[in-house]
Amino acid sequence: MSNFELIQSASDRLAPVVRETPLLTSPFLDKIAERRVLIKAECLQHTGSFKFRGGWSAISALSPQKREKGVIAFSSGNHAQGVAYAAREYGCPATLVIPSDAPELKIANTRDLGATVVLYDRDGENREGIGKKLAEEQGLTLIRPYDDPQVIAGQGTAGLEIAKQAEKAGIKTADVLVCCGGGGLTSGIALALEKTAPGLRARPVEPEGFDDGTRSLASGDVETNTRHGGSLCDAIVTPSPGVLTFPVMQRLCGPGIVVTEDEALRAMALAWQRLKIVLEPGGAVALAAALFHGDSIDGPSVIAVTTGGNVDQLVFARAMATLATQ
Amino acid sequence: MSNFELIQSASDRLAPVVRETPLLTSPFLDKIAERRVLIKAECLQHTGSFKFRGGWSAISALSPQKREKGVIAFSSGNHAQGVAYAAREYGCPATLVIPSDAPELKIANTRDLGATVVLYDRDGENREGIGKKLAEEQGLTLIRPYDDPQVIAGQGTAGLEIAKQAEKAGIKTADVLVCCGGGGLTSGIALALEKTAPGLRARPVEPEGFDDGTRSLASGDVETNTRHGGSLCDAIVTPSPGVLTFPVMQRLCGPGIVVTEDEALRAMALAWQRLKIVLEPGGAVALAAALFHGDSIDGPSVIAVTTGGNVDQLVFARAMATLATQ
């Protein structure tokens, strides 16, 4: 199957369960951006992020035999919850390998979704080693967060929705800004738009200091971040674009945009005030680019994919505090 | 036209602009409620509340001549924003009569939506008098917040969506809990469900101390609240059920449910945490009833209509503080 056929097939498998998330607008945000801004609210997806799409796509593509043995993933975040939720609905055992210093609530949520949680010491142990051992012993299938064709296809189903919703809104040409970590969602959306809305162009958005995708697209080589953590935008921090995702991004995506953490926090606050949605910093960078980096964007309309809303209270309070000054 | 035909006609007029708001779920909320909870997220409607539906329905039903002269409404809240936004999209002048002690932001938002704001002194002046004078002088059409057949029909379009979405979710029988002020939304939804999903039954939910609808349904007479303000749930505080809405509610609705302000705040926090949506207290009472008043609800599933998200930061922070104890 071609990449696009994989997306169509994933869309068929997701149809009974996925939420078609709305494309939101606000005249107040249009005024700030000085153009029409349409916000694809994937924070409203099951588990609070788009990652449910990829998790469900991958698990539903397995043979019944493989599903019965179970799946394994390395993540404490949105990918973990997406995989755990999809596995639970499918009655498929899921093992999540999570660093022991991950937030309590994330570990509890993953357990509450019925997954087996294996904690490891981020400094002393190697998660790939632990995962490989468990996978071999128990016959588990590894579900990678982005470098997996079925995961990319699942994320791409968001692109099919964007194409349809943009057409209904009368938009034929626009940049589609996507919060970008390893590039699974960005490349999936780009592949979907290539066939269904060729006037829409996906562009990755990243936080300052973790702009590997933007730099890689600019240089034409896979670039790596010097820091590997410590960002408010933890959901989209990856060392470098993926082996499968980068060639797709290189072929189809426009240049990346880099925003500051403060801009991400301000976008979160405006999303709360004007759209009534909850975003995490990493899920708000695309909206931040649409609102505060208009000079980097062409055309009278822009689409921003707000990818997740799994944020803790303290970080959310920091975002809300920016309302006093904007 | 029958009431139901009015809703169908309003639905046709709203189709190009209204958001079909999603029906959200969370396994974590199901666990608290001990049943399946489906949340109709009308806070995601244009202007942050369902009131856009009624405003658009009423303005789109006017003759071009009347629309050209303009409309007038008394409100500082969600009805004002719904009317102002709909009027702006229609190029119809809108005058909003707002108490001078209303929050600055609400006044500013209404002005930013292009409406003419007329401030009055809540203690010394009579808003009906001011409104009547303006309406006569300028030939404006008054749009009442609930006692208007076209407004009820517009709110009823949310009921058509609920019927369709519940069917897709496999739900044939359930209570549909609705945050209730004057009863425009409650009666509109009840009328829509009567024809399209007779197994779904609308029930009003109100805050303690402002339970005029619940008491009226119980006694069979129009009951009045002793207090007229001072509730966190200001969006749904009305003196008594409407002249047009109460007979509909009496014929079609199940008993009302009354929740505390604290329960509304806790529901807001859980909606933030589990659904990634922003609610105001008055827009959260139906979810509070679903989560914390399960004894008053029958059946394995319940639908809660969360009606608005226009809340200020201080009240929202109070809601978030409840997370520490729940």
Side-chain angles (χ1 to χ4, degrees), chain A residues 19 25 276 310 313 320, chain B residues 19 25 276 310 313 320:
Chain A
R19 285 187 194 138
T25 54
K276 315 305 172 191
N310 292 314
Q313 268 184 273
M320 295 294 282
Chain B
R19 286 187 195 136
T25 54
K276 315 306 172 190
N310 292 312
Q313 268 183 273
M320 296 294 282

Side-chain angles (χ1 to χ4, degrees), chain A residues 15 18-19 22-28 31 43-44 46 48 85 88 105 109 112-113 168 272-278 309-313 316 320-321 323, chain B residues 15 18-19 22-28 31 43-44 46 48 85 88 105 109 112-113 168 272-278 309-313 316 320-321 323:
Chain A
V18 75
R19 285 187 194 138
L23 200 59
L24 304 174
T25 54
S26 160
F28 299 98
K31 200 171 159 189
C43 56
L44 301 173
H46 295 293
Y85 187 92
R88 191 187 74 143
L105 185 67
N109 283 349
D112 284 350
L113 289 171
K168 195 190 165 194
W272 175 87
Q273 184 180 47
R274 300 303 184 185
L275 304 172
K276 315 305 172 191
I277 58 173
V278 178
N310 292 314
V311 56
D312 71 37
Q313 268 184 273
F316 196 76
M320 295 294 282
L323 280 178
Chain B
V18 76
R19 286 187 195 136
L23 200 59
L24 303 174
T25 54
S26 161
F28 299 98
K31 201 171 160 191
C43 55
L44 301 173
H46 295 292
Y85 187 92
R88 191 188 74 145
L105 186 67
N109 283 350
D112 283 350
L113 288 172
K168 195 190 167 194
W272 174 87
Q273 185 180 48
R274 300 303 185 186
L275 304 172
K276 315 306 172 190
I277 59 173
V278 178
N310 292 312
V311 55
D312 72 38
Q313 268 183 273
F316 196 76
M320 296 294 282
L323 280 178

Side-chain angles (χ1 to χ4, degrees), chain B residues 1-15:
Chain B
M1 278 203 270
S2 72
N3 284 323
F4 184 67
E5 286 165 340
L6 283 176
I7 295 173
Q8 286 179 307
S9 169
S11 177
D12 291 341
R13 297 195 306 278
L14 275 156

Side-chain angles (χ1 to χ4, degrees), chain B residues 203-326:
Chain B
R203 296 179 64 182
V205 182
E206 296 172 304
E208 230 174 28
F210 301 91
D211 57 347
D212 50 294
T214 300
R215 286 186 289 109
S216 300
L217 285 176
S219 74
D221 290 315
V222 171
E223 306 284 347
T224 302
N225 296 316
T226 49
R227 287 160 60 202
H228 298 298
S231 171
L232 271 183
C233 304
D234 58 317
I236 55 168
V237 165
T238 46
S240 58
V243 174
L244 297 182
T245 58
F246 183 57
V248 174
M249 289 168 65
Q250 224 177 353
R251 185 167 69 81
L252 296 174
C253 289
I257 301 177
V258 181
V259 307
T260 66
E261 289 193 347
D262 184 61
E263 288 169 337
L265 291 171
R266 285 162 60 202
M268 287 169 64
L270 290 166
W272 174 87
Q273 185 180 48
R274 300 303 185 186
L275 304 172
K276 315 306 172 190
I277 59 173
V278 178
L279 299 180
E280 59 190 279
V285 295
L287 179 58
L291 295 175
F292 310 125
H293 290 259
D295 291 350
S296 307
I297 299 165
D298 282 330
S301 303
V302 65
I303 296 169
V305 187
T306 54
T307 46
N310 292 312
V311 55
D312 72 38
Q313 268 183 273
L314 286 177
V315 172
F316 196 76
R318 281 181 60 184
M320 296 294 282
T322 68
L323 280 178
T325 56
Q326 65 179 333

Side-chain angles (χ1 to χ4, degrees), chain B residues 171-193:
Chain B
I171 293 171
K172 291 204 164 67
T173 314
D175 282 351
V176 178
L177 310 182
V178 187
C179 307
C180 185
L185 182 64
T186 311
S187 60
I189 287 176
L191 289 165
L193 296 177

